[in-house]
Amino acid sequence: MPDIGSVWSELGGDPALLARVSAVVRPGALPARLPVRELARACVGACALAAAELGAHRAGRVEVPRVTVDDGAVATAFTGERHLLVDGRAPQTFAPLSRFWRTADGWVRTHANYPHHRARLLHALDVPEDPAAVGSALRDRPALEVEEAVYGAGGLAVALRTPAEWAAHGQAAALATRPLVERVRLDTSRARALPPLDGTPLLPAAGVRVLDLTRVLAGPVATRTLALLGADVLRLDAPHLPELPDQHADTGFGKRSATLDLAAGRDRFEELLAAADVVVTGYRPGALDRFGLSPEALAERRPGLVVAQVSAWGAYGPWGGRRGFDSLVQVATGIAAVEGSAKRPGALPAQALDHGTGYLLAAAVLRALTEQAYGDAAGGGRLVRLALARTAAWLQDGSPLPEDGAGADGAAADGAEADGAEVGTVPYDGPARWLAETDSPVGRLRYARPAVSFADGPHDWARPPGPWGADAARW
C-alpha cells in the first residue's frame, strides 16, 4: 500500500519529520480498486514535507512547518485538467483517436493527441483520419502485432496486459531492480549557495533557476510545483513542436515559456545552463543526448547542477527508449485490466501516474537542494530519476481494494498514525472548494488550486500562464 513513510525513505528524508504531516482523509475521493487516493496523498505529502524542510533550513527555523494533506485538494489537483475552463470552455483532454480499440485477440490503446503522433498512427495502419477506418484496420490484427507496428512507425499504441502478463515482460523485470526514486551523485563540486529567507509566505525554492524541458504531464506538474514554491521556471520548447494550448494553460502556472532550437540556439542554451540550478527533462530517454543534455554532460558543463528526469518506462530495459504516456502505462502494466470488467478495460479516476510521479519528481529536486546545501555530504551535482511504470508498480504493490472502490481508509489511517501524523476523516463533497478563477493572457481560467500545503507556505501561484512560447529565452 503506498504511504508517505515509504516514499519519504526513498527520498532520503529524516523519518522524524513524518510527525509534522497530518492528513484529512475524505472517503469517496478518487475511488478505484487500486489505492489511488493513498498514492496521491503520499506523493503530495512527501512533496509538501520536502518543501517545508528546505524552507525551514533557509529561514533558519528550528522546527519544520506543519504539513496538511487534504484528500479533497489532492483529488481536485490530480484531476485538474478535467476542471480547467478557458473562458467558460472545457478543453478536450483526449483526441478522438486516443482511446481503446478492439483487436482480433484483445484490446489496444492508442495515443494521438499530438498531430505528429496521429500522423504516425495513421501511417502505420495505412488508413485515413477516420475512427471507423482505424477500428476496421485493428479488428483483424493481434494486439501485440499492432503494438509493434505502430511503435515501429514512431507512433503510440500499447496492447492490454494483465498484471501477470506484465510481470513476465522484460521491462517489468528491469523496473523491479530499481528504486521508486533513483538518486545519484554526479560530482563533488560546490553548488550555488541559497540565500536565507525571511517573511511569509515561505517560498523554499525562491531564487532557484529551473530549466524546464518537459511535456505532458508529469514533468510539467513537477515544474509547476517548483514554480509555486518560488522557483524561477523557464520552460523551453522546440519551435516546431508547439504545445496543445489548453494543456499549456493547465500546467503553465507560475512559469515563463520560450522557444529555442537546441541545435541552432546552442550558445543561448549554454548561457541559460551556466546560470541554472536545476534542469528537468521529460522526453524519452536518450532523445536529448545528441544536444549534450545527458545528465553527465550537463554536470560536466555546469558542476553542482541538479538534473531531474522523468520518463514513461524508465531509462533501461527493452522499452527504455520508448515513448509513452500515463494512459498507455496503465494499459501495459495491468492497471487497465484491474480497473476494468470482463467486457472492457478500465482506467484510474485520474492520470494518477503522471500527477503522482510529477509531485515525487518535485520532491526529489527539493530534497536534492536540501542535501546540497545542508546535508552531511554537502555540495555536488545530483541526478534524480523517476518513471511512470515504476510508479505503477508501487501502486500495484499489494492487493486491489474491494470491488466497490470505497477505498482503504482504515489502512491509510493506520499507516499515517504509524508515521506520527494525526488523521481526521470527513466526507468528500466534490471539488468546488478547491477550484479558483483568474484572468490571464490566455483568457479567464477556472483551475485547481495547489494541493501542496504547509504552514506559512504559498496558497497559489504568483502568476497565471501566458501563451506558449511568448517569453524570451533568458533569465
Side-chain angles (χ1 to χ4, degrees):
M1 178 76 68
D3 66 274
I4 188 175
S6 63
V7 74
W8 186 245
S9 176
E10 290 255 4
L11 291 164
D14 179 358
L17 294 183
L18 291 167
R20 306 301 295 169
V21 183
S22 298
V24 179
V25 176
R26 295 184 185 269
L30 297 175
R33 292 174 183 164
L34 291 166
V36 177
R37 185 168 66 255
E38 289 72 20
L39 177 140
R41 184 190 304 141
C43 293
V44 172
C47 185
L49 185 56
E53 177 193 30
L54 178 58
H57 277 296
R58 294 188 64 185
R61 298 187 182 185
V62 174
E63 198 167 55
V64 170
R66 285 199 167 275
V67 169
T68 302
V69 189
D70 191 310
D71 281 353
V74 172
T76 305
F78 267 57
T79 52
E81 63 273 12
R82 304 178 191 176
H83 300 299
L84 179 71
L85 294 178
V86 183
D87 288 331
R89 174 186 56 82
Q92 182 184 60
T93 54
F94 283 100
L97 298 185
S98 298
R99 47 166 285 193
F100 283 108
W101 305 88
R102 279 272 192 193
T103 63
D105 58 353
W107 296 85
V108 297
R109 181 152 189 169
T110 55
H111 197 289
N113 286 5
Y114 286 108
H116 56 294
H117 290 155
R118 181 167 61 250
R120 292 167 186 171
L121 171 67
L122 297 172
H123 174 72
L125 301 178
D126 193 22
V127 295
E129 188 174 341
D130 174 55
V134 173
S136 178
L138 293 174
R139 272 192 294 271
D140 297 329
R141 301 178 67 174
L144 291 176
E145 178 186 299
V146 172
E147 179 180 274
E148 289 305 313
V150 175
Y151 167 69
L156 292 146
V158 171
L160 176 71
R161 291 170 172 82
T162 65
E165 289 169 336
W166 177 247
H169 194 281
Q171 191 61 28
L175 288 164
T177 67
R178 303 282 179 149
L180 176 64
V181 183
E182 295 185 61
R183 301 184 299 130
V184 178
R185 186 159 177 154
L186 292 172
D187 59 53
T188 59
S189 61
R190 182 183 298 275
R192 185 169 72 89
L194 298 176
L197 299 176
D198 57 15
T200 55
L202 184 63
L203 298 173
V208 175
R209 288 173 169 169
V210 178
L211 279 178
D212 177 2
L213 282 70
T214 69
R215 293 170 80 84
V216 212
L217 179 61
V221 166
T223 52
R224 182 182 65 184
T225 303
L226 295 173
L228 168 74
L229 299 169
D232 180 3
V233 179
L234 177 62
R235 172 164 167 167
L236 295 178
D237 286 282
H240 65 284
L241 288 176
E243 183 60 281
L244 303 175
D246 293 336
Q247 200 161 259
H248 183 70
D250 179 47
T251 59
F253 281 86
K255 311 177 191 179
R256 291 178 294 124
S257 170
T259 60
L260 184 66
D261 185 318
L262 291 177
R266 183 60 179 265
D267 290 345
R268 174 54 58 89
F269 180 81
E270 293 303 317
E271 291 173 5
L272 293 171
L273 176 63
D277 303 295
V278 179
V279 173
V280 185
T281 67
Y283 292 80
R284 62 186 174 87
L288 298 177
D289 289 4
R290 68 184 186 278
F291 300 110
L293 298 181
S294 70
E296 296 76 15
L298 288 168
E300 183 176 349
R301 303 199 306 280
R302 174 64 174 91
L305 188 70
V306 174
V307 181
Q309 292 186 324
V310 61
S311 63
W313 310 105
Y316 35 75
W319 281 15
R322 292 202 176 194
R323 300 174 178 86
F325 294 94
D326 181 305
S327 59
L328 303 182
V329 176
Q330 290 188 40
V331 172
T333 59
I335 290 173
V338 171
E339 295 292 340
S341 67
K343 294 182 178 180
R344 186 175 177 83
L348 298 177
Q351 294 189 67
L353 306 180
D354 262 334
H355 285 275
T357 307
Y359 286 109
L360 290 182
L361 192 67
V365 169
L366 294 165
R367 289 246 61 251
L369 292 171
T370 298
E371 290 178 346
Q372 280 185 332
Y374 308 104
D376 293 336
R382 302 292 203 278
L383 167 64
V384 295
R385 180 184 283 152
L386 287 101
L388 304 189
R390 183 62 183 83
T391 304
W394 184 45
L395 175 64
Q396 297 176 87
D397 187 16
S399 301
L401 301 183
E403 287 291 326
D404 64 2
D409 294 313
D414 290 344
E417 287 169 356
D419 291 339
E422 299 175 359
V423 178
T425 302
V426 295
Y428 177 63
D429 56 1
R433 73 177 70 181
W434 296 286
L435 297 174
E437 292 193 9
T438 187
D439 290 317
S440 80
V442 298
R444 180 74 178 173
L445 302 179
R446 186 188 74 175
Y447 64 99
R449 293 182 183 275
V452 170
S453 176
F454 58 93
D456 296 333
H459 298 291
D460 211 336
W461 288 274
R463 56 182 287 168
W468 176 83
D471 297 298
R474 62 169 181 259
W475 295 117

